[in-house]
Amino acid sequence: QVQLVESGGGLVQPGGSLRLSCAASGMIFSTYSMDWYRQAPGKQRELVAHITSGGITNYADFVKGRFTISRDNVKKILYLQMNSLKPEDTAVYYCKGTGLAAWGQGTQVTVSS
């Protein structure tokens, strides 16, 4: 079974940084594209960033230039480096293999003064 465990969230001030991690198991991690999503209260879950198995990245416009998605195929960990955080980035962040149904438990990111 595919299992994903997100971690690294927390409370940070506007302009601050966090690095999220997603530890994967039950899959041949290196062969899959991976995604980060987020969901704020009362809002739809939205795609934040995408990375292919070959390391090509794409970002939602609202995070481009601020967030960086990366992966460690040996450790089977997906990362999201989040810089210049804004209050509107507050959400639960989830990782997922592209085209796969499994979600992790998510990790809460709160950006507030």
Side-chain angles (χ1 to χ4, degrees):
Q1 297 282 1
V2 176
Q3 294 187 15
L4 304 165
V5 180
E6 299 95 338
S7 62
L11 175 64
V12 65
Q13 293 184 350
S17 298
L18 286 172
R19 188 177 75 161
L20 308 184
S21 298
C22 169
S25 62
M27 63 186 293
I28 305 175
F29 179 78
S30 62
T31 69
Y32 279 88
S33 295
M34 297 293 295
D35 307 301
W36 282 101
Y37 285 78
R38 70 186 187 187
Q39 187 168 26
K43 296 185 177 180
Q44 294 290 318
R45 191 168 297 186
E46 61 185 354
L47 181 66
V48 174
H50 170 87
I51 185 167
T52 71
S53 61
I56 299 172
T57 60
N58 284 297
Y59 300 92
D61 287 342
F62 52 81
V63 304
K64 190 170 294 185
R66 300 189 297 123
F67 292 8
T68 302
I69 187 171
S70 62
R71 63 195 299 160
D72 184 330
N73 286 338
V74 175
K75 296 182 178 180
K76 300 175 68 174
I77 300 176
L78 179 73
Y79 298 102
L80 186 67
Q81 179 65 48
M82 310 165 67
N83 299 326
S84 302
L85 283 162
K86 305 174 180 179
E88 51 263 46
D89 295 320
T90 296
V92 178
Y93 284 72
Y94 301 89
C95 64
K96 191 174 75 70
T98 302
L100 300 178
W103 298 93
Q105 83 287 350
T107 185
Q108 176 72 51
V109 172
T110 303
V111 184
S112 176
S113 298

